Amino acid sequence: MAGEKAASPAPRAPFANREFGLRVASALVLGAAVLGTLILGGWAFAAVWLIAGIVGAAEWLAMTRSEPLAPLLGLTGATLFALLAAVLVGAPLWVPVLVLLAGSLGLFALGHGPGRRKPVWGLLGGAVVALVPTLLRLDPEIGIVGPAWMFAVVWSTDSVAYFTGRLIGGPKLMPRVSPKKTWSGALGGLFAGIVGGTLTVLVARDHGWDALPAISLPLVAAVSGLASILSMAGDLVESALKRRYGVKDSGRSIPGHGGVMDRLDGFFAVAGLAGLCFAALRLLPA
């Protein structure tokens, strides 16, 4: 009738859309591949992270419009492969250090213009992603537990932050950088990251998988909380970089998630922390 307001469309369920379905399906497939190779270890596990490091570096090169793209990507991939091979065969520490230095100098020499440092940053980021999970898995005292702890913290933080933010909403965390992220999501993700990381270590100790029992559970919880915060910070940093370079996603390699950089932004930050902890445990005097 005239003068009556048209009926408002029924609100959509917060997760009932195609993108969410793709996101869940991709996460399940990737999670199964990562966990399966984690159990196998060796080259199978290393290959997953080598591919992730190379694809992530390729996305960085494309996003930053680094030229010449093909030679830069070829040298980046060759360097990451050589780094991982040196680690897997147990080469002395100076070998991977020399490989990384040579690759970085080569990329700097190949690059054009004032942005020639950017390919080097891509190589270093790819090295963190490729090497840290592999190093932890190879270590006889850490083994499965190290990477599993990383996965538990990052996946718990990311998943619970996503659902909590969608369901509760509220004030935005950093609206200029990432308009959809909320404080409720961040707090939910932090709580989940602490619980996920601590439970992983508890289960590992219960089954005799953890050879580092001297680390107290309060310290495990504290480091898990720090890792959770870093995971969310990595996500925000990548959002800022995408805004800086005017792209929506880093790539299209993962349906529902965008690119590898989009999926591993938080993992990269946690891998950096895990790498520092590993260095402190293995390289510094007791």
Side-chain angles (χ1 to χ4, degrees):
M1 295 175 62
E4 289 187 356
K5 292 183 179 180
S8 300
R12 296 178 64 184
F15 311 119
N17 56 62
R18 182 172 178 271
E19 181 183 356
F20 179 72
L22 285 173
R23 186 182 182 94
V24 171
S26 298
L28 290 174
V29 171
L30 291 174
V34 168
L35 293 178
T37 55
L38 173 61
I39 294 171
L40 291 174
W43 271 102
F45 185 64
V48 168
W49 296 104
L50 174 62
I51 293 170
I54 292 174
V55 175
E59 291 173 354
W60 170 255
L61 291 172
M63 186 169 70
T64 58
R65 301 173 181 86
S66 299
E67 296 290 345
L69 182 58
L72 289 172
L73 179 55
L75 180 55
T76 299
T79 304
L80 290 176
F81 178 82
L83 277 172
L84 209 57
V87 167
L88 286 169
V89 301
L93 179 61
W94 63 267
V95 175
V97 170
L98 184 60
V99 169
L100 185 60
L101 178 60
S104 299
L105 291 174
L107 289 173
F108 186 80
L110 274 175
H112 293 167
R116 62 198 318 178
R117 295 187 189 91
K118 293 174 183 176
V120 178
W121 291 118
L123 171 63
L124 296 178
V128 170
V129 169
L131 290 181
V132 171
T134 303
L135 283 169
L136 296 179
R137 181 64 179 86
L138 288 173
D139 190 280
E141 292 188 353
I142 298 175
I144 287 178
V145 181
W149 171 82
M150 295 170 65
F151 301 152
V153 171
V154 174
W155 293 349
S156 298
T157 298
D158 185 52
S159 300
V160 174
Y162 180 81
F163 281 95
T164 305
R166 287 291 190 94
L167 290 171
I168 298 177
K172 302 299 182 181
L173 183 61
M174 292 185 69
R176 292 187 178 182
V177 175
S178 187
K180 294 182 179 180
K181 290 182 174 57
T182 61
W183 278 102
S184 64
L187 292 174
L190 174 60
F191 175 77
I194 294 172
V195 172
T198 306
L199 281 178
T200 299
V201 173
L202 276 173
V203 170
R205 290 181 179 178
D206 186 56
H207 288 76
W209 298 335
D210 185 6
L212 296 170
I215 301 178
S216 67
L217 284 180
L219 180 56
V220 170
V223 175
S224 297
L226 175 58
S228 179
I229 293 171
L230 287 175
S231 177
M232 291 183 280
D235 193 345
L236 290 170
V237 168
E238 203 236 354
S239 294
L241 287 171
K242 288 190 292 187
R243 284 181 174 272
R244 163 70 175 81
Y245 292 106
V247 297
K248 181 179 182 295
D249 296 312
S250 67
R252 298 181 180 179
S253 54
I254 307 176
H257 294 274
V260 167
M261 282 181 62
D262 297 314
R263 181 65 278 176
L264 295 183
D265 44 16
F267 183 84
F268 167 78
V270 175
L273 174 65
L276 291 175
C277 292
F278 178 80
L281 286 170
R282 291 292 171 259
L283 301 180
L284 298 179

